[in-house]
Amino acid sequence: MTYHPFQILGEARPSRWLVTCDHAANTVPDFVGGGTLGLPQADMDRHIAYDVGAAGVTAALAEALDAPAILSNFSRLVIDPNRGEDDPTLLMKLYDGTIIPANRHAGPEELERRLDACYRPYHRALAGLAGRRDDTVLLSIHSFTPQLRGRPPRPWQVGVLYGMDDRLAQVLLTRLRAEPDLCVGENEPYGGHLPGDAVETHAIRHGRPNVLIELRNDLIATEAGQQAWATRLAPILQEALTASAL
């Protein structure tokens, strides 16, 4: 079977929205360590390998917004598509206390091989989708673990992240904070900007409205949870975009 480093859903859908999922899968292609990074399956099934639940939310949100979506098909531990090519964390050797055996001795040649096979095809496809119309709005979906090892629990259910362009994010934050049952993080649990990240590359550099949403992964671990959050977020996102007048 031919390996494809990304999946596109609803390419012909007409919405301004483009929904992306950089960390959709925990796939390790056969050309990387024979299909394994040397980690037990329990580690591959947790947040260090991919964004748990994010793919399901992305697919459901894209359908609800009548928008195309692009999802990666390689683990963030193979190579991280939400990093610039010169980012030292592009190929992680240690993550949340876990050593990645197949990456420990990976040098420049191996990095270049993974860039060509996984990272660059994903970004070329994303760029093509983002350029399909002049008024694209980029919506990036991620998830986060409720607690990193040795760290305090994270109280937020949803985080809204932004970098140098907060036009849509601030309107969305106001709208989400009006929901009485939500604990909303602003640039939590992470800061919203890394130089060369996917949002900067495909939205900020082109002046496109954008926002990154982080959902706590225990809330979207099931298909029912993924659908529920997509159903809840879709009208809120539409309201925020309209109110922003972008």
Side-chain angles (χ1 to χ4, degrees):
M1 184 181 295
T2 303
Y3 169 73
H4 295 286
F6 59 87
Q7 178 185 17
I8 294 175
L9 304 176
E11 186 169 4
R13 290 173 184 160
S15 174
R16 289 181 66 191
W17 294 99
L18 168 59
V19 190
T20 68
C21 192
D22 299 324
H23 301 143
N26 58 359
T27 307
V28 181
D30 287 342
F31 55 79
V32 176
T36 177
L37 295 171
L39 291 171
Q41 191 60 45
D43 277 331
M44 293 303 298
D45 288 340
R46 68 189 190 97
H47 74 100
I48 66 169
Y50 74 125
D51 281 358
V52 176
V57 174
T58 297
L61 252 181
E63 185 174 0
L65 294 168
D66 203 17
I70 182 168
L71 301 89
S72 67
N73 186 31
F74 49 93
S75 171
R76 67 193 301 167
L77 297 179
V78 170
I79 193 165
D80 193 334
N82 195 33
R83 298 290 187 271
E85 288 199 17
D86 59 351
D87 192 305
T89 64
L90 185 64
L91 198 159
M92 294 288 284
K93 304 191 177 189
L94 174 71
Y95 192 5
D96 194 21
T98 298
I99 293 171
I100 319 304
N103 293 351
R104 286 187 70 180
H105 304 295
E109 289 185 5
E110 178 62 14
L111 174 60
E112 189 68 20
R113 195 166 70 97
R114 297 187 197 182
L115 282 166
D116 281 341
C118 299
Y119 180 103
R120 288 171 180 149
Y122 173 75
H123 280 282
R124 282 195 297 269
L126 201 168
L129 287 170
R132 78 198 190 286
R133 52 186 296 165
D134 293 335
D135 59 351
T136 294
V137 181
L138 187 69
L139 170 61
S140 183
I141 301 297
H142 293 254
S143 73
F144 63 95
T145 188
Q147 186 173 13
L148 291 171
R149 289 177 175 173
R151 303 286 185 87
R154 292 161 158 176
W156 313 283
Q157 294 153 300
V158 57
V160 175
L161 278 60
Y162 57 86
M164 296 181 291
D165 177 5
D166 68 348
R167 295 172 295 167
L168 180 55
Q170 290 298 340
V171 180
L172 180 59
L173 278 163
T174 298
R175 177 62 184 81
L176 286 171
R177 286 167 174 159
E179 299 283 303
D181 61 328
L182 289 186
C183 179
V184 181
E186 180 175 359
N187 275 338
E188 297 286 2
Y190 313 105
H193 176 67
L194 287 170
D197 67 13
V199 171
E200 181 185 81
T201 299
H202 298 286
I204 293 173
R205 291 177 186 172
H206 303 273
R208 294 173 179 138
N210 63 87
V211 68
L212 189 154
I213 291 179
E214 289 268 5
L215 291 164
R216 207 175 69 210
N217 67 22
D218 60 319
L219 304 176
I220 55 170
T222 66
E223 185 177 347
Q226 294 156 19
Q227 185 63 57
W229 272 94
T231 299
R232 182 174 191 175
L233 286 173
I236 292 174
L237 284 159
Q238 292 282 37
E239 291 169 20
L241 181 58
T242 300
S244 73
L246 290 166

